[in-house]
Amino acid sequence: MSSVNAPHPAKPSRGARLVLIGLGVVLVVLAVFGIVKRVQARHELTADTDRNAIATVATTAPKASPKDQSLSLPGTVTSWQDAQVYARTTGYVAKWYVDIGAKVKKGQRLADLDTPDVDNQLLQGKAQMRTDQATMDFAKVTADRYAKLAAQGLIAQQTADQYLAQYKADAATVQADEANVARLQNLEDFKHIEAPYDGVVTQRNLNIGALVDAGASGSNLFVIADTRTLRVFVDVPETYAASVHVGMPADVSLNTYGAKPITGTVARTADALDPNTRTLRTEIDVSNTEQQLLPGVYANVKLQVSTATRNYVVPANVLLFRAEGLRVALVDGQQRVHLQPVTLGRDFGSTVEITEGLNDGDRIVLSPSDSLSEGQQVKVAGPNKVQQQRMP
């Protein structure tokens, strides 16, 4: 039996092997390209994340205020002096002669009171004084008579001294009566109410027949205001208090009387700051000889003041109110944030004044986020069109 040889598998041809190698190379290239693209995308994502993690902020520069400047303050206008006129004696209003708005002179009669009680007391006091004076005269005659008898040795000296002491006691009683009559006479004279000085009647609080009590326990009868000179009171902030002195001029604007200011003079200051407001109470005198101005109107006072330090005006939206105090965010040369403590001055609404904490060349972050922290890295954005237009 003959053996049959099994067929051998055919070997791939040279061309087929080249095709397979080519496909393998293509697959490797595609795999490498995909890996490279993925790595590159990951690097780009990391770079974007790092870039977006740095906050972008807008900054502004503080505007320095001149040391010598015009300070505008609200003021309160009052008369030179006000007198509340009260009754010095109790009685009924018999007549009044002036009403509100009347210009009066010192000593002018304002009203009369009917004082029946005081009238009767005065009559009684005078009668008692005449009685005691007669008793004193009789005691003097008796004392003189007994003094002569004692000198002649007809009576004891003690008896003469006794009558002399009685005379002195009666004389003292007469002096007390005279003082009482003088007091009642003064009360009698006080029923005529008179003006204490030249001025204007600003209040009248009495009517005929009304009962008025003596002293300041009741209502005042009149209020007299001296308006020949007006006082204007302003409160100067602590920063400018040192530059305010007596005699310096001041421009007082009264809206009620037009835009033209009136020149006044600083007459006096409190020489001490109010511990509650940290302001200096300042009084400015304004002449009102023509009686055209009225006390009580609103005034705006301008003073030429200076500061020992340099102040800066910044937008109000740069302030950070932190638990540790008021701060502003500054950006240094390394683009890092520094939270600078500042002292606030005047508030102008959209802008505020900083009296301490800033210097020339500081870059202040506009509208800072509450999340800004000390030393945080930031990126400063360029000025926008609005900021470019505002830049000098």
Side-chain angles (χ1 to χ4, degrees), residues 247-310:
M248 68 183 299
D251 291 335
V252 181
S253 298
L254 306 175
N255 296 335
T256 309
Y257 300 94
K260 185 178 179 181
I262 303 170
T263 301
T265 305
V266 175
R268 56 195 60 84
T269 67
D271 282 338
L273 297 182
D274 188 326
N276 297 320
T277 61
R278 303 298 179 186
T279 56
L280 176 69
R281 173 53 64 98
T282 302
E283 179 186 325
I284 300 166
D285 290 348
V286 177
S287 177
N288 190 32
T289 55
E290 297 181 0
Q291 301 290 312
Q292 294 181 349
L293 309 178
L294 299 177
V297 299
Y298 177 82
N300 186 59
V301 179
K302 288 186 177 180
L303 296 171
Q304 296 299 323
V305 296
S306 60
T307 57
T309 59
R310 196 166 189 180

Side-chain angles (χ1 to χ4, degrees), residues 169-356:
D170 292 340
T173 301
V174 171
Q175 291 179 351
D177 292 338
E178 291 175 349
N180 183 53
V181 169
R183 179 183 66 83
L184 294 173
Q185 186 62 56
N186 288 335
L187 293 178
E188 179 76 9
D189 295 338
F190 281 133
K191 69 181 181 180
H192 305 297
I193 310 300
E194 298 178 351
Y197 49 75
D198 297 352
V200 179
V201 178
T202 59
Q203 291 185 31
R204 177 185 63 82
N205 300 315
L206 77 169
N207 290 293
I208 295 178
L211 175 64
V212 295
D213 295 326
S217 58
S219 174
N220 57 54
L221 306 182
F222 296 94
V223 175
I224 310 295
D226 183 1
T227 58
R228 292 171 297 179
T229 301
L230 297 181
R231 304 175 189 259
V232 183
F233 292 96
V234 295
D235 296 317
V236 180
E238 179 182 1
T239 306
Y240 309 98
S243 63
V244 177
H245 57 84
V246 175
M248 68 183 299
D251 291 335
V252 181
S253 298
L254 306 175
N255 296 335
T256 309
Y257 300 94
K260 185 178 179 181
I262 303 170
T263 301
T265 305
V266 175
R268 56 195 60 84
T269 67
D271 282 338
L273 297 182
D274 188 326
N276 297 320
T277 61
R278 303 298 179 186
T279 56
L280 176 69
R281 173 53 64 98
T282 302
E283 179 186 325
I284 300 166
D285 290 348
V286 177
S287 177
N288 190 32
T289 55
E290 297 181 0
Q291 301 290 312
Q292 294 181 349
L293 309 178
L294 299 177
V297 299
Y298 177 82
N300 186 59
V301 179
K302 288 186 177 180
L303 296 171
Q304 296 299 323
V305 296
S306 60
T307 57
T309 59
R310 196 166 189 180
N311 299 336
Y312 295 88
V313 177
V314 297
N317 61 351
V318 304
L319 301 178
L320 278 171
F321 297 92
R322 297 292 178 89
E324 60 271 18
L326 189 63
R327 300 287 189 270
V328 295
L330 303 181
V331 179
D332 59 16
Q334 287 73 37
Q335 306 293 303
R336 294 189 178 277
V337 172
H338 170 58
L339 299 181
Q340 174 66 29
V342 293
T343 301
L344 191 63
R346 291 174 293 170
D347 188 347
F348 303 111
S350 60
T351 59
V352 294
E353 184 181 54
I354 301 299
T355 59
E356 293 182 8

Side-chain angles (χ1 to χ4, degrees), residues 138-152 155 160 163:
F138 178 74
K140 184 177 185 306
V141 172
T142 303
D144 291 342
R145 183 180 298 118
Y146 276 89
K148 291 179 181 179
L149 294 175
Q152 296 175 2
I155 61 173
Y163 281 100

